[in-house]
Amino acid sequence: MNTDMDSKPNIARSGTDNARRIVRQALGNETVNNLHKENPLLDFASVAVPVVLVIGIALLMGRIEFGLLWCLLFVAQGLLAQTMMLVSHDLFVHRRVGGDFWSWVGSMVLTIPRLSSPSGYESAHLNHHKYIGTDRDTEAYKQDLNTRFKRVLFSTMPGVKMAQANKFSDAKRKHYHDVTAVRPGQSQKLRTEKLLLKLWLVVLVVLSVTFPETLFFGYVLPVMIILPVMNSLRIIIEHADANPENPFNQSTFYETGIVSRAVFLWDSGDCHIVHHIFPRIPWYQVGKAVDLMKSVFEQHGAVKRTSFWRLVKGWYFSNYAHRSLWPADT
């Protein structure tokens, strides 16, 4: 297996390629290769456990009265929706677990329930890696979140959709999910996904009317309300406070702990720096990778942040620009 990312060389990637070489020199090829070792049991559990929990929690919420437990389960459903997205991102977009066909099937299982296109996300995300920090970065729409109002609105599902459709900017960009083919046979996959998305929407509407306590309040509403809030908190510690010129600080160098790592599936903050340098390290190896690599990040000028609250404050209240290095006291 090729443990580094495959694509044609380009200027936007040269810094990342150099960072990869530096880390390999510092840690040694054997250590880096060991960090890429996959665990099939953990990969299977990564898919099965969130799916089972989502179904189980929805059924439980349909049976219990509104109260503290119900509210906690409501939040948990939104968190699990994000986990499913991050699992798909790791296993099926980057590592292609199961090969092209089964990784596509797995991505549909985890992505279509959120009414999102697996191939659209895959194309956008791989191009984000390829062109990170440039005008061709598919996540450039986040640069348009330049007012407090837009950022609050982006914490809602309508705001997310508006931003991805570039409604906050006059820039001539494609919609985030507009596909530029990156895999063979993607056009046929897209047609299948569009059909399944329509069928799933019909099923959701019918079941939400028939079983509102279970489907609407137990699944649809948490995804609509909690997921976009978690999405906003996640992007703050992905690329908000960052130095696009430094591949060791292209992501926010927030020092994650066990809670933030678990909530964001070892994908944000210092974990995200690792992810952009070595995107095929499995999520369950990223914590170890961070511990081994963070001294290298600091030696090469990455600015460490230790307060999640200060980063949240810098985003929502101070309105610091996305993808820029924020003041030292952040």
Side-chain angles (χ1 to χ4, degrees), residues 111-308:
T111 305
I112 284 181
R114 296 181 292 104
L115 295 174
S116 184
S117 164
S119 294
Y121 171 75
E122 177 188 63
S123 175
H125 187 72
L126 292 180
N127 279 306
H128 162 59
H129 274 258
K130 186 175 181 179
Y131 299 112
I132 182 173
T134 72
D135 290 339
R136 297 182 68 182
D137 188 342
T138 49
E139 294 191 2
Y141 70 87
K142 294 174 183 175
Q143 302 300 103
D144 304 327
L145 302 173
N146 50 16
T147 69
R148 296 177 184 86
F149 174 74
K150 289 179 183 178
R151 291 176 179 185
V152 171
L153 184 58
F154 187 69
S155 301
T156 69
M157 190 61 75
V160 171
K161 298 302 182 183
M162 290 172 66
Q164 291 179 342
N166 296 302
K167 299 300 184 183
F168 295 152
S169 171
D170 293 328
K172 302 299 182 182
R173 303 190 198 104
K174 292 182 178 180
H175 187 288
Y176 177 72
H177 284 119
D178 280 355
V179 172
T180 300
V182 294
R183 306 259 187 219
Q186 202 165 43
S187 297
Q188 178 59 47
K189 289 179 180 179
L190 276 168
R191 287 192 290 270
T192 302
E193 290 168 19
K194 287 179 180 179
L195 176 61
L196 290 175
L197 280 167
K198 291 176 181 177
L199 291 174
W200 175 242
L201 181 59
V202 172
V203 169
L204 264 187
V205 171
V206 171
L207 292 181
S208 292
V209 172
T210 309
F211 307 103
E213 294 86 357
T214 300
L215 260 298
F216 182 72
F217 292 102
Y219 176 73
V220 175
L221 210 56
V223 171
M224 293 291 293
I225 294 176
I226 303 299
L227 179 58
V229 173
M230 297 309 303
N231 178 66
S232 281
L233 295 178
R234 179 173 52 81
I235 71 161
I236 293 172
I237 53 173
E238 282 191 350
H239 299 289
D241 170 27
N243 179 2
E245 304 301 318
N246 183 352
F248 294 101
N249 206 167
Q250 282 183 335
S251 304
T252 305
F253 189 18
Y254 168 66
E255 190 172 36
T256 53
I258 186 59
V259 174
S260 53
R261 289 182 180 185
V263 168
F264 299 109
L265 199 72
W266 286 262
D267 183 65
S268 295
D270 46 18
C271 299
H272 209 64
I273 301 177
V274 171
H275 174 66
H276 271 274
I277 298 174
F278 293 103
R280 291 192 179 125
I281 293 181
W283 68 263
Y284 41 80
Q285 298 273 38
V286 171
K288 182 179 179 181
V290 169
D291 295 338
L292 291 170
M293 297 178 192
K294 60 184 177 183
S295 62
V296 180
F297 303 161
E298 292 181 274
Q299 289 167 13
H300 288 83
V303 180
K304 184 187 291 185
R305 309 299 190 185
T306 58
S307 172
F308 186 76

Side-chain angles (χ1 to χ4, degrees), residues 1-30:
M1 180 182 68
N2 179 9
T3 57
D4 297 334
M5 197 171 180
D6 297 323
S7 74
K8 296 179 181 179
N10 60 69
I11 295 173
R13 287 276 307 286
S14 61
T16 302
D17 292 340
N18 188 49
R20 187 176 299 123
R21 286 192 291 270
I22 290 170
V23 172
R24 281 191 174 275
Q25 288 171 0
L27 272 60
N29 282 331
E30 183 178 0

